[in-house]
Amino acid sequence: MPHLYRRGFIHVIGNAKRQLASKQLHEIGYFPNKPFTLSYTCKTINFSFLLSGEGSYQVNGQDVAVTGPCVLVQLPGEDYVYGPNQRGRWEEFYLIYHPDALQRLRDNQIIVDGQFSWPINNIFAIEEAINAMVKAVELNLPTDVIDQHCEMLLVLSKMPKELDHQDKAVAAINAIAAAIKHNCQSNYSFQEIAKELGMSYSSFRRYWVDIFGVSPKNFQMDQRMVRAANLIISTNSSIAQVAESVGYDDQAYFSTLFKKRYKMSPAQYRKQHVVTIPAEYLGPSTSCEQEAGIVRSGIVGSLGVPEAS
């Protein structure tokens, strides 16, 4: 999600608490690289959009393995422990509602008794909706507009795959794009993929550009650069380690591509953005979390990320 990555870390989006007054929406936030596990008895209604990554989710003592993209929901009075795998991280966007919203969310079939998670079938539509909602907050648009964006986000998360994507070729391309997004470091032969789909590469590329606006190769490079920018500002990894983790063995080549994208070197990017990490992201639970009985675990190091093994 380039719009959010450009902002670095976002815990509680600016002015959100002041604006989010109607429909019992309390808070919205984003962790591009969440390193910790939360343990608590829930007092609100929380929706955690796990956009990428994997980990564990414990509901009233019952363990469930989760892999993004999916939605995790927490309800008042239930006990939860959830977070990324040990020494891992995941990308999470969340919404927090007042308990008074429970009946309305049930009436709208967003919350279904016994359903504590569900898969996201169209991650690209979800990301577009999140970006639109964040821009509404940043532009100080009326509260009702922000509420509508959040409600739309919840509705989209429950939708099946879009009918427009039923065409076999388009569905296959979307599946490949999703794989690239979550495993951008892997090497893909788009010519071979086109052959497996029974298409010429020129037809495959035309389909791809029609859907995403860029070629397959540039799409993958964009995903790698966004992931690299995230790692640079949210971990202590060296630039060489970041380059390797997104699929580049040649650090100099990686730095050239990064500078072309962000108009500065990886080192300059880290120096400029490291100060955007808010204090509430680091260390143990924040004061508001402590008041709600929320406990964090798995945080080590100055950036709030697990130490390298």
Side-chain angles (χ1 to χ4, degrees):
M1 295 169 30
H3 175 73
L4 291 179
Y5 278 117
R6 283 199 296 271
R7 290 285 305 276
F9 276 72
I10 299 175
H11 180 58
V12 178
I13 294 172
N15 297 322
K17 284 195 172 183
R18 179 177 62 78
Q19 292 202 53
L20 303 177
S22 63
K23 291 192 178 179
Q24 303 92 28
L25 181 59
H26 273 191
E27 186 177 308
I28 55 181
Y30 174 65
F31 289 115
N33 224 5
K34 185 175 181 179
F36 48 79
T37 294
L38 297 181
S39 306
Y40 62 101
T41 298
C42 193
K43 298 181 180 180
T44 52
I45 303 167
N46 308 340
F47 295 95
S48 300
F49 288 75
L50 175 54
L51 304 177
S52 63
E54 58 185 24
S56 61
Y57 186 42
Q58 187 181 96
V59 183
N60 295 327
Q62 182 175 354
D63 288 314
V64 179
V66 292
T67 300
C70 65
V71 178
L72 311 180
V73 60
Q74 299 93 44
L75 301 178
E78 308 284 353
D79 295 326
Y80 298 94
V81 180
Y82 64 99
N85 291 334
Q86 186 177 16
R87 299 188 181 277
R89 290 174 287 275
W90 72 27
E91 181 186 9
E92 177 185 332
F93 188 90
Y94 66 84
L95 307 174
I96 299 178
Y97 284 86
H98 190 277
D100 290 349
L102 184 59
Q103 190 57 52
R104 178 178 61 81
L105 291 166
R106 278 184 170 141
D107 291 343
N108 293 339
Q109 296 295 300
I110 299 300
I111 290 178
V112 177
D113 289 342
Q115 184 183 45
F116 292 98
S117 67
W118 57 85
I120 293 174
N121 291 309
N122 192 338
I123 186 62
F124 300 105
I126 289 292
E127 290 187 346
E128 288 175 4
I130 290 174
N131 278 322
M133 187 266 289
V134 171
K135 289 178 182 178
V137 173
E138 293 176 338
L139 291 172
N140 254 352
L141 295 184
T143 303
D144 284 349
V145 174
I146 299 168
D147 281 331
Q148 290 167 10
H149 278 294
C150 293
E151 296 286 312
M152 178 58 68
L153 183 61
L154 290 171
V155 171
L156 281 173
S157 76
K158 304 284 285 193
M159 296 294 287
K161 293 182 179 180
E162 295 180 9
L163 293 178
D164 290 343
H165 291 185
Q166 293 304 306
D167 178 271
K168 182 178 179 181
V170 176
I173 286 173
N174 273 280
I176 296 162
I180 291 172
K181 173 179 168 55
H182 297 295
N183 297 283
C184 63
Q185 73 279 5
S186 298
N187 292 318
Y188 296 87
S189 170
F190 295 110
Q191 287 82 1
E192 287 300 317
I193 291 173
K195 186 183 296 185
E196 290 174 6
L197 294 176
M199 305 168 62
S200 67
Y201 177 69
S202 60
S203 295
F204 173 83
R205 188 180 187 281
R206 184 171 63 252
Y207 266 110
W208 194 290
V209 173
D210 286 345
I211 296 170
F212 298 109
V214 295
S215 69
K217 181 179 179 180
N218 285 336
F219 179 89
Q220 181 175 22
M221 184 174 67
D222 285 345
Q223 296 300 319
R224 286 178 168 183
M225 292 300 106
V226 168
R227 175 64 175 161
N230 175 19
L231 292 173
I232 285 168
I233 65 174
S234 62
T235 75
N236 288 314
S237 299
S238 68
I239 302 304
Q241 289 172 326
V242 170
E244 185 177 359
S245 71
V246 297
Y248 295 103
D249 295 329
D250 187 336
Q251 182 183 339
Y253 179 58
F254 163 76
S255 295
T256 297
L257 294 176
F258 189 94
K259 189 170 184 178
K260 183 177 180 180
R261 168 70 181 265
Y262 292 102
K263 311 304 179 186
M264 64 182 76
S265 70
Q268 291 170 326
Y269 190 88
R270 170 170 278 168
K271 184 176 181 180
Q272 178 171 315
H273 289 81
V274 69
V275 294
T276 65
I277 302 176
E280 60 262 34
Y281 194 87
L282 308 177
S285 305
T286 64
S287 58
C288 62
E289 287 176 342
Q290 291 167 3
E291 184 178 344
I294 298 174
V295 178
R296 296 188 186 185
S297 62
I299 306 175
V300 181
S302 62
L303 287 178
V305 296
E307 285 185 327
S309 56

